[in-house]
C-alpha cells in the first residue's frame, strides 16, 4: 500500500538476489484479469543484482529471476491509497472560529488469486482529523465520526491566522486541506486579582487575562454581598464609585471589611453585530475577602530569650487606631505603645521585670464603616524559666 497524495500512481517494487550476487536477469509481468494470467509485460530498470519498478498503478505484479543456475519468483499487490483532500469551511461567531471539514476515506481491497474472492486490506487506527493554526504542530484533534468533523477555536487573537486540516486515514496516510486565513470575533472577559484576602484598607490589583479584540470594558464593583441582598437597584448594590468603564482598572482599594464580588462585561463590535462576554466572581465562588478588625491579647508572656513568646504583642488586624499600656501590680505604668505591631520585651529601664502578674489596658478603633471600638482590660503572667 502506497500513500498517493497526488493520485498519479506512486507504487514501487524492487526485486533482488537473496545473497547479493550478480548475474541475475529479471522478468516482470502484471496480472490480466481478463485472461486470468500474468500476461502483461512490464519494463523495469535493472542491474545485475536487482530490478526496480516505479510509478506503478494498482494491480498484481509478478517477478521471475534467474542467474542460469538458480531461479525464484514472487508476486505482490500494489495499491495506491489516493483520496480527495479534506474540505475546509471557516465561519465566525462570538464564540470563536468555527472550522468544519469532511473526508471520505477509500477502502482498499484486492483479489485473492487462489479463490478469486475480493479481500479488504487490514487497516490500523481510526481516522484522525487535526486542525492546525499557523505554525502550531497540532492545535485541535478529533477522531472520525460520520464524514464531517467540527472544531471551534475559542481563543481570542489579533489579526489573521491560517487554518488547515490534516487527516490521517486508517492506513496511516496523511492528506491536507488548503490553508484558509481568518480573523476572530472571540473575546474573553476573564481577569485575575491579587491579593484574595487581606486587611482593610486592602488594595486589590486586577489583571485582564486576554484583552485581544475587546473594545469596551465595564467594571462593576459591588458592595459587601450581605448588603446586596437588600439592594433594590443595580446602583444600590454597587460601591459609591459605581461602574468604572475603563480597560485599565489597575487596582481598587477596599476601605471596609466584607466579602466583595466584581464583574467585568467586555464587548466588541464586528461586521455581524456585537460580541459580549462576562466574568463574574460570584459565579466563580471566589469573593475578595477584606478581614474585619480584631484585637486578641495573650495571657502568658515568657521573655527568656529562647525566641518564642519573647515579646508581649497584641494580635490585631484592620485597625485605624491603637493604644496599649502595661501596669504592674502596684499601679505603675511599665510600658506603653501606639503601634500594634510592636510590644513589650519584658524589661523596665533596661532590666528584666520581676516575674508575676501584670495588667494591660488596650484601646483601639477598627476600620469598619460603623466604627468598631475596643477597650480591653485584663491581666497576664510574666514567666521566666
Amino acid at each position: 500500500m502506497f500513500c498517493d497524495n497526488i493520485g498519479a500512481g506512486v507504487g514501487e517494487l524492487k526485486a533482488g538476489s537473496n545473497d547479493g550476487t550478480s548475474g541475475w536477469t529479471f522478468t516482470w509481468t502484471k496480472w490480466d484479469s481478463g485472461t486470468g494470467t500474468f500476461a502483461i509485460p512490464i519494463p523495469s530498470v535493472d542491474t545485475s543484482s536487482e530490478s526496480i519498478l516505479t510509478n506503478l498503478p494498482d494491480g498484481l505484479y509478478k517477478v521471475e529471476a534467474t542467474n542460469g543456475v538458480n531461479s525464484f519468483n514472487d508476486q505482490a499487490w500494489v495499491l495506491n491509497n489516493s483520496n480527495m483532500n479534506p474540505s475546509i469551511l471557516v465561519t465566525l461567531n462570538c464564540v470563536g472560529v468555527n472550522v468544519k471539514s469532511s473526508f471520505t476515506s477509500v477502502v482498499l481491497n484486492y483479489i485473492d488469486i487462489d479463490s478469486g474472492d475480493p479481500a479488504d486490506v487490514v487497516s490500523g487506527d481510526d481516522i484522525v482529523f487535526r486542525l492546525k493554526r499557523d505554525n502550531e504542530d497540532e492545535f485541535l484533534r478529533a477522531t472520525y465520526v460520520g464524514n464531517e468533523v467540527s472544531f471551534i477555536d475559542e481563543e481570542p487573537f489579533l489579526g489573521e491566522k491560517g487554518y488547515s486540516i490534516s487527516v490521517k486515514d486508517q492506513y496511516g496516510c496523511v492528506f491536507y486541506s488548503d490553508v484558509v486565513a481568518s480573523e476572530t470575533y472571540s473575546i474573553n472577559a476573564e481577569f485575575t486579582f491579587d491579593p484574595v484576602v487581606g486587611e482593610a484598607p486592602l488594595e486589590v490589583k486586577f489583571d485582564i487575562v486576554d484583552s485581544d479584540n475587546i473594545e469596551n470594558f465595564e467594571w462593576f464593583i459591588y458592595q459587601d454581598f450581605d448588603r446586596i441582598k437588600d439592594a433594590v437597584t443595580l446602583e444600590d448594590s454597587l460601591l459609591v464609585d459605581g461602574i468604572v468603564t475603563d480597560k485599565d482598572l489597575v487596582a481598587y482599594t477596599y476601605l471596609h471589611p466584607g466579602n466583595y464580588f466584581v464583574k467585568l462585561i467586555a464587548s466588541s463590535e464586528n461586521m455581524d453585530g456585537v460580541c459580549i462576554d462576562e466574568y463574574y466572581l460570584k459565579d466563580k465562588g471566589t469573593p475578595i475577602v477584606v478581614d474585619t478588625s480584631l484585637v486578641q491579647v495573650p495571657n502568658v508572656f515568657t521573655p527568656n530569650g529562647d525566641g518564642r513568646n519573647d515579646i508581649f504583642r497584641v494580635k490585631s488586624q484592620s485597625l485605624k487606631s491603637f493604644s496599649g499600656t502595661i501596669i504592674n501590680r502596684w499601679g505603675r505604668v511599665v510600658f506603653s505603645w501606639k503601634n500594634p505591631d510592636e510590644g513589650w520585651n519584658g524589661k523596665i529601664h533596661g532590666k528584666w521585670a520581676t516575674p508575676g502578674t501584670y495588667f494591660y489596658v488596650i484601646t483601639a478603633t477598627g476600620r469598619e464603616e460603623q466604627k468598631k471600638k475596643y477597650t480591653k482590660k485584663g491581666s497576664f503572667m510574666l514567666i521566666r524559666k
Side-chain angles (χ1 to χ4, degrees):
M1 193 278 298
F2 298 88
C3 298
D4 186 3
N5 294 86
I6 59 176
V10 296
E12 180 177 300
L13 295 175
K14 180 169 70 173
S17 63
N18 292 331
D19 55 7
T21 58
S22 59
W24 292 82
T25 58
F26 302 88
T27 302
W28 292 89
T29 52
K30 184 181 179 184
W31 178 261
D32 185 345
S33 59
T35 63
T37 63
F38 288 96
I40 306 172
I42 304 296
S44 61
V45 177
D46 298 347
T47 68
S48 61
S49 60
E50 67 178 15
S51 178
I52 300 175
L53 301 182
T54 58
N55 299 323
L56 296 175
D58 292 356
L60 177 61
Y61 295 83
K62 180 179 180 180
V63 62
E64 296 176 296
T66 181
N67 64 358
V69 177
N70 299 310
S71 64
F72 71 86
N73 67 79
D74 207 347
Q75 56 186 350
W77 277 95
V78 168
L79 299 173
N80 291 286
N81 184 12
S82 178
N83 287 280
M84 294 291 292
N85 288 326
S87 67
I88 181 169
L89 175 65
V90 176
T91 58
L92 298 178
N93 57 29
C94 290
V95 177
V97 180
N98 301 271
V99 181
K100 289 186 176 181
S101 179
S102 62
F103 177 81
T104 303
S105 63
V106 174
V107 178
L108 301 177
N109 52 63
Y110 60 97
I111 302 298
D112 184 286
I113 298 302
D114 293 332
S115 66
D117 296 328
D120 292 341
V121 176
V122 177
S123 62
D125 297 331
D126 292 331
I127 294 174
V128 176
F129 285 75
R130 289 181 174 89
L131 173 65
K132 185 176 181 180
R133 189 179 69 180
D134 280 355
N135 295 321
E136 300 172 40
D137 290 338
E138 180 181 316
F139 183 61
L140 293 172
R141 170 187 175 122
T143 54
Y144 187 80
V145 178
N147 52 3
E148 186 173 89
V149 171
S150 297
F151 299 93
I152 300 180
D153 177 10
E154 299 181 2
E155 183 178 325
F157 59 82
L158 297 176
E160 289 187 339
K161 291 185 181 292
Y163 292 89
S164 61
I165 294 287
S166 67
V167 175
K168 186 181 78 170
D169 71 5
Q170 70 271 39
Y171 303 112
C173 295
V174 181
F175 301 89
Y176 300 90
S177 75
D178 296 331
V179 177
V180 178
S182 177
E183 60 179 341
T184 184
Y185 299 156
S186 175
I187 57 176
N188 182 15
E190 183 179 356
F191 60 87
T192 59
F193 58 96
D194 184 68
V196 177
V197 180
E199 301 173 6
L202 181 67
E203 182 184 70
V204 179
K205 295 182 178 180
F206 298 90
D207 185 24
I208 298 172
V209 173
D210 191 343
S211 62
D212 286 350
N213 296 325
I214 302 178
E215 296 176 351
N216 301 301
F217 299 77
E218 290 184 286
W219 293 91
F220 294 76
I221 311 297
Y222 290 97
Q223 298 189 54
D224 175 21
F225 65 72
D226 285 335
R227 296 187 182 186
I228 295 178
K229 297 175 183 177
D230 300 324
V232 177
T233 65
L234 172 64
E235 288 75 14
D236 291 335
S237 67
L238 298 174
L239 286 169
V240 292
D241 299 75
I243 302 173
V244 181
T245 56
D246 188 355
K247 171 182 177 180
D248 300 319
L249 177 64
V250 177
Y252 185 84
T253 300
Y254 292 86
L255 300 177
H256 308 293
N259 295 301
Y260 298 90
F261 292 119
V262 176
K263 179 193 293 184
L264 170 61
I265 297 180
S267 62
S268 179
E269 292 188 21
N270 54 70
M271 62 184 299
D272 295 322
V274 178
C275 292
I276 298 175
D277 190 41
E278 176 182 301
Y279 192 83
Y280 189 18
L281 292 187
K282 187 175 183 180
D283 296 336
K284 309 302 176 182
T286 310
I288 297 168
V289 179
V290 183
D291 283 338
T292 184
S293 57
L294 173 71
V295 174
Q296 292 181 345
V297 185
N299 56 15
V300 177
F301 175 39
T302 59
N304 54 13
D306 63 358
R308 294 179 299 176
N309 200 26
D310 284 337
I311 303 294
F312 180 84
R313 184 179 288 116
V314 175
K315 181 180 180 181
S316 65
Q317 65 184 28
S318 300
L319 296 182
K320 185 175 182 180
S321 64
F322 175 88
S323 176
T325 302
I326 294 176
I327 304 168
N328 64 17
R329 56 188 173 181
W330 293 284
R332 179 183 175 186
V333 175
V334 298
F335 184 76
S336 61
W337 71 110
K338 297 290 186 181
N339 185 347
D341 293 330
E342 298 176 355
W344 184 36
N345 62 4
K347 293 183 178 182
I348 303 174
H349 302 306
K351 296 182 179 180
W352 290 113
T354 304
T357 301
Y358 290 80
F359 302 90
Y360 63 82
V361 178
I362 304 295
T363 59
T365 304
R367 293 186 181 276
E368 285 85 346
E369 207 165 3
Q370 296 179 352
K371 296 292 187 294
K372 187 174 182 178
K373 296 183 178 180
Y374 295 89
T375 299
K376 291 200 171 187
K377 300 179 181 180
S379 62
F380 64 92
M381 291 295 298
L382 191 158
I383 301 172
R384 188 177 295 113
K385 296 180 180 179

